[in-house]
Amino acid sequence: MWMLNFLGNERRQHLIGLSPKTQYHFNLPKLFSTRSKDNCFTEKTPLLKVSSEDNGLRCMALHNPDFTTDDDSWDNSSAEFEQRSHLGSEMTSLSRSASSEKCELLDNLHVKFNLSKMRCCLRFLKVSTLFIFVVVCSILFSTYPAQGAPWQMLAVSALRSYSVNVTDFRESALLKLELGGPFVADMVDRLAEEYITVQIGQMEDPGSRRRRQQQVLYNWTLPLNSRRNEQVITTRTFEILSSHVVSINIQAFLQESEIVPLSMKHQYLLANIETQVTIASVILAGVYVLIILEIVHRTLAAMLGSLAALAALAVVGERPSMIKVVEWIDYETLALLFGMMLLVAIFSETGFFDYCAVKAYQLSRGRVWAMIIILCLFAAILSAFLDNVTTMLLFTPVTIRLCEVLNLDPRHVLIAEVIFTNIGGAATAVGDPPNVIIVSKQEVRKAGLDFAAFTGHMFFGICLVLLVSFPFLRLLYWNKKLYNKEPSEIVELKHEIHVWKLTAQRINPASREETAVKCLLLQKVLALEILLKKKLKTFHRQISQEDKNWETNIQELQKKHRITDKILLIKCLTVLGFVILMFFVNSFVPGIHLDLGWIAMLGAIWLLVLADIQDFEMILNRVEWATLLFFAALFVLMEALAHLHLIDYIGEQTALLIKVVPEDQRLAVAIILVLWVSALASSLIDNIPFTATMIPVLLNLSQDPDVNLPVKPLIFSLAMGACLGGNGTLIGASANVVCAGIAEQHGYGFSFMEFFRLGFPMMIMSSTIGMCYLLVVHVVLGWNS
């Protein structure tokens, strides 16, 4: 046996170029030692070294001083045999480790195969479930006919009333009554001298032998407008508990003997309010599950929610017609988005965004956080005078280009910008759509909240919110990695480590030489990983500190990123400046009969003509069609949920909670309740229909003599909560969706949860500061007049 080992060793010695009479000593522990004075492996240490022997033969010798040769006699063979036995055991262990690595590799492949198979199953399950859901909703929607009940024209006066009996009520749960006439819009004027009263009554059991008497169930009072030519359609739903004959009686209380023309339409609903609210809540929760878990794209999620809501309305008995559904879409918002997207698409051809990115870097003097604060502050200030959607349409391309130039991750910067855009938009009456709706109401202006009073009150509160928001944002971003891409040297070093690891894994340690080579490779990998950790630590420290070479970087960036078309830039600045000026002037000059959508569309047409665009398809490809479709589907979804009484139910429950509070604590509780209900509701649903629904609720609540609350604190609480609550979720505000759509088009899309992790804490903090401001001003100081 000893002779066979000797012959095998002799053959291996010939293979590596050693003389058969040459003896060597191999010390394995020294091979793995990285702290030896003679053997210090670094990332620059060569693995193999070419050497020559005295006999002129060139051979490859491992660069290790422990591999030595001498001419000692064979008398020391027993000691050598022990070393060989020790080496054999080491080789056996390495062979076992290699076989275990193979087993682990096979196990990993098996796990990956099972995961791939599971993904395919889940995808098939998702598609099947959604398809079945769509088919069921389509069948339900097509089974029930559209409610096209005709309008009835009637006339009432002080001497003549109108009465009709509804005999086909059957088992319907609700009676929906629509009445058109010269009414006062949006509120119940308790001091009106002329009004219309609608009485909903029900006959007693017709099978009874006693005389049938009518029982009045509901009284609905509608104040009349002095201008009889203005027509307003009001709607109210009455819950009928029995299936007896229902009577509708309309009487007019007038000062003069005149005739008031009216129009009326009624229909039956098959579910009560609580059931409809439950259905609406389930649909809204399902849409959020689809968006949060990213099961489908948010545009498709909104479309599925709209289809489910329309099917629910059809089952209830209130299926809308195609014309009605189209009327639900807010085309002014879509026109504003489309026009501004065209302007920004042409603007990007001038290189202006690259130029602004370099200037922002110059203002920050190379400091990343200073630059982020400057961008957020500019966005907040601009959104106070413009619509926040327009602000993000202008700021998002600049921010993305800036982050690309400075090697930052645009997602975190964009989320911070859109958060401060929503905060800044709450400062003025024209900065956010809820504020525009509040100030445009005539009843609110009669209460003393005009443009100047509203802006002055909100401006100080939002300034306080901004002061606290900046350090809180820095706290949220404390452990966030703001960089996007690593330097090329780190990328190359990672690639080198990956190559050496693969090389080491491919070596099968069947011989001592292969074992030694694998040990050297692993030692090389260890040295490179230590170097990588040092470089990453240095890079993380530098990215959060001031760039020492920012002046040199600015000079290089200025040479690389310049204005490419100055003539087109002048045209774009002229048209865009005029559009922004018209946005601002439109709120003050009553002679301009253009809304924001028309102004944006006209500006886009002007710039298309001036720019002489030949490749029109290229401009249209930059339009966020998915975002526009998402808003259209969202408008339909929110209107359908409103028809299912979800928003009305929230407002009524809020008013009931305020009424049960003791009078001495009622104002403080009302401010807290209205603000937080508005903030949380605006995070989940669109704040525009919610604001429009809550305004008459709060006005009627302030005029109730049993409640005795001033109207100004309630309106300010609604505005503060509706504007700041948009930061809670990705679909809470229109600016959030616009920013996410543009970022996704540039390859930097962020998910619902990525926005939620930063936006929801900011919403909680900003709403808390706003609540404290309102409590101090209106409860402590008593500034309610």
Side-chain angles (χ1 to χ4, degrees):
M1 180 65 68
W2 182 86
M3 182 61 67
L4 292 176
N5 290 333
F6 167 73
L7 292 176
N9 293 332
E10 182 181 8
R11 184 179 180 183
R12 283 194 293 269
Q13 290 168 2
H14 277 293
L15 290 176
I16 63 173
L18 296 178
S19 174
K21 295 182 179 181
T22 303
Q23 184 184 6
Y24 57 88
H25 298 286
F26 175 70
N27 193 350
L28 190 63
K30 290 185 178 181
L31 175 65
F32 289 97
S33 177
T34 59
R35 298 183 181 181
S36 176
K37 296 180 180 179
D38 298 328
N39 183 23
C40 182
F41 288 91
T42 64
E43 70 279 359
K44 297 182 179 180
T45 303
L47 289 174
L48 298 175
K49 180 179 178 182
V50 179
S51 63
S52 61
E53 299 294 335
D54 295 337
N55 56 7
L57 295 176
R58 295 181 61 86
C59 65
M60 302 297 294
L62 292 174
H63 187 72
N64 193 323
D66 296 311
F67 288 95
T68 59
T69 61
D70 52 27
D71 295 329
D72 294 337
S73 64
W74 296 92
D75 297 335
N76 299 326
S77 58
S78 59
E80 182 182 358
F81 179 76
E82 293 178 359
Q83 293 180 359
R84 290 176 183 175
S85 301
H86 182 68
L87 179 61
S89 62
E90 295 288 343
M91 292 172 60
T92 304
S93 63
L94 287 174
S95 300
R96 291 176 180 174
S97 64
S99 61
S100 63
E101 289 179 359
K102 292 181 181 179
C103 294
E104 290 178 0
L105 181 60
L106 293 176
D107 292 339
N108 291 333
L109 291 176
H110 184 67
V111 170
K112 289 181 179 179
F113 177 76
N114 291 334
L115 289 176
S116 178
K117 191 175 181 180
M118 186 180 297
R119 291 192 188 98
C120 293
C121 294
L122 291 176
R123 184 176 181 181
F124 177 77
L125 180 63
K126 179 192 75 172
V127 174
S128 303
T129 304
L130 292 178
F131 182 73
I132 294 174
F133 172 79
V134 170
V135 171
V136 171
C137 291
S138 302
I139 293 175
L140 292 176
F141 186 75
S142 60
T143 302
Y144 296 88
Q147 295 294 329
W151 286 89
Q152 300 179 14
M153 306 303 297
L154 53 100
V156 294
S157 63
L159 302 177
R160 185 176 62 181
S161 61
Y162 174 82
S163 181
V164 62
N165 291 331
V166 181
T167 58
D168 54 348
F169 191 76
R170 299 179 183 176
E171 296 180 357
S172 301
L174 297 177
L175 172 65
K176 183 178 180 181
L177 185 63
E178 297 181 58
L179 203 63
F183 305 125
V184 176
D186 298 331
M187 66 175 293
V188 178
D189 191 354
R190 301 181 186 277
L191 301 178
E193 297 179 355
E194 296 181 335
Y195 53 91
I196 297 291
T197 299
V198 180
Q199 291 183 345
I200 306 297
Q202 204 169 24
M203 298 295 181
E204 291 183 352
D205 187 2
S208 176
R209 296 182 179 180
R210 295 180 302 174
R211 183 181 178 183
R212 296 172 59 187
Q213 296 181 355
Q214 182 178 357
Q215 180 182 5
V216 177
L217 302 178
Y218 301 99
N219 280 317
W220 185 18
T221 302
L222 297 171
L224 292 173
N225 198 335
S226 58
R227 294 186 292 270
R228 295 291 194 259
N229 57 349
E230 294 185 1
Q231 293 292 314
V232 176
I233 297 178
T234 59
T235 304
R236 187 170 177 181
T237 304
F238 305 96
E239 186 173 4
I240 307 300
L241 300 178
S242 63
S243 59
H244 300 164
V245 178
V246 178
S247 65
I248 303 175
N249 186 21
I250 302 176
Q251 295 179 347
F253 295 88
L254 306 173
Q255 293 181 345
E256 299 178 0
S257 59
E258 58 177 333
I259 298 177
V260 179
L262 301 175
S263 57
M264 184 187 70
K265 182 174 70 171
H266 69 277
Q267 67 183 76
Y268 315 117
L269 305 180
L270 303 179
N272 55 25
I273 294 179
E274 288 76 12
T275 304
Q276 295 185 38
V277 170
T278 303
I279 295 174
S281 302
V282 172
I283 293 173
L284 185 62
V287 172
Y288 268 89
V289 168
L290 293 177
I291 296 176
I292 292 173
L293 300 181
E294 297 183 358
I295 298 176
V296 295
H297 193 271
R298 59 176 175 271
T299 303
L300 181 57
M303 295 173 66
L304 293 175
S306 302
L307 178 61
L310 292 176
L313 287 176
V315 173
V316 168
E318 197 179 355
R319 174 188 164 179
S321 62
M322 179 64 74
I323 299 176
K324 192 68 174 179
V325 173
V326 171
E327 290 177 354
W328 289 351
I329 301 176
D330 189 356
Y331 288 100
E332 179 183 352
T333 301
L334 296 182
L336 170 64
L337 292 172
F338 180 71
M340 293 304 298
M341 286 177 182
L342 289 178
L343 289 174
V344 172
I346 301 174
F347 216 153
S348 61
E349 297 295 322
T350 63
F352 180 74
F353 296 146
D354 296 355
Y355 176 79
C356 291
V358 175
K359 286 298 181 183
Y361 182 61
Q362 186 176 5
L363 287 175
S364 64
R365 301 177 64 85
R367 291 170 293 187
V368 175
W369 265 106
M371 181 198 66
I372 294 176
I373 291 176
I374 290 174
L375 289 175
C376 293
L377 185 61
F378 282 173
I381 294 174
L382 187 60
S383 64
F385 301 98
L386 291 179
D387 184 75
N388 51 8
V389 174
T390 306
T391 303
M392 290 313 301
L393 282 170
L394 297 175
F395 262 76
T396 302
V398 178
T399 304
I400 292 176
R401 192 68 193 111
L402 173 62
C403 294
E404 289 176 347
V405 169
L406 301 182
N407 203 20
L408 298 176
D409 189 353
R411 290 183 285 265
H412 300 307
V413 183
L414 288 175
I415 292 175
E417 273 187 4
V418 73
I419 288 173
F420 279 88
T421 299
N422 293 327
I423 294 175
T428 63
V430 296
D432 216 5
N435 294 355
V436 177
I437 294 175
I438 290 174
V439 178
S440 62
K441 294 294 182 180
Q442 184 179 2
E443 293 77 14
V444 176
R445 291 199 298 267
K446 288 181 179 179
L449 290 177
D450 54 2
F451 181 88
F454 184 87
T455 302
H457 192 287
M458 293 291 292
F459 180 78
F460 290 104
I462 295 301
C463 287
L464 183 62
V465 172
L466 286 174
L467 290 177
V468 182
S469 297
F470 280 112
F472 188 74
L473 178 70
R474 184 67 181 92
L475 182 63
L476 289 177
Y477 276 49
W478 189 263
N479 293 323
K480 292 291 182 181
K481 295 180 180 180
L482 298 179
Y483 58 88
N484 180 34
K485 296 178 181 179
E486 295 167 338
S488 58
E489 57 178 352
I490 294 181
V491 176
E492 293 175 359
L493 187 58
K494 286 185 175 181
H495 180 68
E496 185 179 357
I497 293 174
H498 179 67
V499 171
W500 287 124
K501 283 184 176 180
L502 288 179
T503 306
Q505 290 175 0
R506 291 170 183 171
I507 295 178
N508 186 15
S511 63
R512 182 181 55 233
E513 291 79 12
E514 292 173 343
T515 302
V517 171
K518 184 169 185 177
C519 293
L520 290 173
L521 287 173
L522 294 177
Q523 195 169 4
K524 177 81 171 182
V525 170
L526 181 61
L528 291 175
E529 287 180 343
I530 295 174
L531 178 64
L532 177 63
K533 290 180 180 179
K534 292 180 180 179
K535 288 184 176 295
L536 286 175
K537 186 176 181 181
T538 303
F539 176 67
H540 293 169
R541 184 170 60 252
Q542 289 177 352
I543 199 68
S544 61
Q545 294 178 354
E546 180 181 358
D547 189 356
K548 304 298 182 182
N549 301 323
W550 66 274
E551 295 180 351
T552 305
N553 294 337
I554 285 177
Q555 294 177 0
E556 296 178 356
L557 292 175
Q558 287 176 346
K559 294 178 182 179
K560 185 178 180 180
H561 305 283
R562 296 180 177 179
I563 301 297
T564 57
D565 194 339
K566 294 184 179 180
I567 297 177
L568 181 60
L569 176 62
I570 294 175
K571 296 177 181 179
C572 292
L573 289 176
T574 303
V575 174
L576 186 62
F578 181 77
V579 169
I580 293 176
L581 179 64
M582 291 299 296
F583 282 164
F584 188 72
V585 173
N586 182 49
S587 303
F588 304 99
V589 180
I592 301 177
H593 302 287
L594 293 175
D595 53 29
L596 301 181
W598 274 113
I599 295 173
M601 288 298 299
L602 292 176
I605 295 174
W606 291 2
L607 189 55
L608 286 172
V609 173
L610 291 176
D612 192 18
I613 299 296
Q614 300 297 329
D615 191 0
F616 195 72
E617 294 291 336
M618 182 268 295
I619 299 298
L620 291 181
N621 288 334
R622 297 187 179 182
V623 175
E624 292 291 328
W625 298 108
T627 302
L628 296 178
L629 187 58
F630 172 78
F631 275 107
L634 187 65
F635 290 142
V636 175
L637 174 62
M638 291 304 158
E639 285 294 332
L641 295 181
H643 279 72
L644 290 172
H645 305 282
L646 176 62
I647 301 177
D648 292 336
Y649 183 80
I650 295 175
E652 292 173 359
Q653 294 301 315
T654 303
L656 291 177
L657 288 176
I658 293 175
K659 290 181 179 180
V660 299
V661 177
E663 186 175 358
D664 56 341
Q665 303 173 0
R666 188 170 295 164
L667 180 59
V669 173
I671 292 175
I672 296 173
L673 193 60
V674 171
L675 188 143
W676 284 108
V677 169
S678 303
L680 295 176
S682 298
S683 297
L684 301 176
I685 61 178
D686 192 4
N687 53 12
I688 296 176
F690 178 79
T691 304
T693 303
M694 286 297 294
I695 289 175
V697 173
L698 297 181
L699 289 174
N700 292 337
L701 191 64
S702 65
Q703 294 179 355
D704 191 344
D706 298 331
V707 178
N708 192 21
L709 286 176
V711 67
K712 287 185 177 181
L714 302 179
I715 295 298
F716 286 132
S717 300
L718 173 63
M720 193 79 73
C723 294
L724 299 180
N727 287 328
T729 61
L730 181 60
I731 63 175
S734 303
N736 306 350
V737 181
V738 171
C739 180
I742 299 176
E744 185 177 2
Q745 189 183 40
H746 286 77
Y748 300 104
F750 46 86
S751 63
F752 183 95
M753 292 306 298
E754 287 178 338
F755 186 91
F756 182 80
R757 292 189 190 99
L758 297 172
F760 194 78
M762 287 292 295
M763 184 272 290
I764 296 295
M765 187 279 306
S766 58
S767 299
T768 303
I769 300 300
M771 178 192 69
C772 295
Y773 168 75
L774 294 177
L775 289 176
V776 171
V777 170
H778 295 289
V779 178
V780 178
L781 301 180
W783 294 352
N784 300 323
S785 59

